[in-house]
Amino acid sequence: MGEVSGGLIGVLLAGGLSRRMGGGDKGLLDLGEKTIIERVIKKILPQVSSLAININGDSSRFPDYELPIISDSMKGFLGPLSGILAGMDWAFKNKYKYVATVAADTPFLPDDFIHRLYSIVKDQKLNIVIAASRILNTEDIFRHPTFGIWEVD
């Protein structure tokens, strides 16, 4: 399977239950004059060849974004790995080699976030790269697996 021109498809993971916020879709909350997900779309869209939203539940909640909606591949609320799998399935069907995933409720990502992760994949010839951060004043690493580049194969 070859890489399509541009090579990288993006999926916003918006299937969470938002339990800590009393339910609903965090990405649909307003942040200033735009929703959180609108801000994420604006950040990620220039960095990928194509972009979709992964959801768990009723797709009519996301009608205004003019992006493909991908439902979780597995029934139930199984968490972000189910959304990543759905994104990988979608990327495979569209003949992409890699899929980039980000949480739909993270509006303050760097403008080159996906480019940075993708360059690590390409430079080091890796199959998967996930974001991580070091906890201040420690050697502890906190992994952020919803933010990653995943080889579809």
Side-chain angles (χ1 to χ4, degrees), residues 34-54:
K34 296 180 180 179
T35 63
I36 293 171
I37 197 170
E38 286 174 310
R39 294 176 181 279
V40 177
I41 290 167
K42 184 177 178 183
K43 290 275 186 173
I44 300 303
L45 194 56
Q47 300 181 61
V48 294
S49 301
S50 184
L51 185 63
I53 301 172
N54 163 254

Side-chain angles (χ1 to χ4, degrees), residues 13-33:
L13 301 174
L17 293 174
S18 190
R19 287 186 191 112
R20 291 185 298 260
M21 294 182 68
D25 293 296
K26 289 182 283 188
L28 297 179
L29 295 174
D30 288 330
L31 180 62
E33 295 180 9

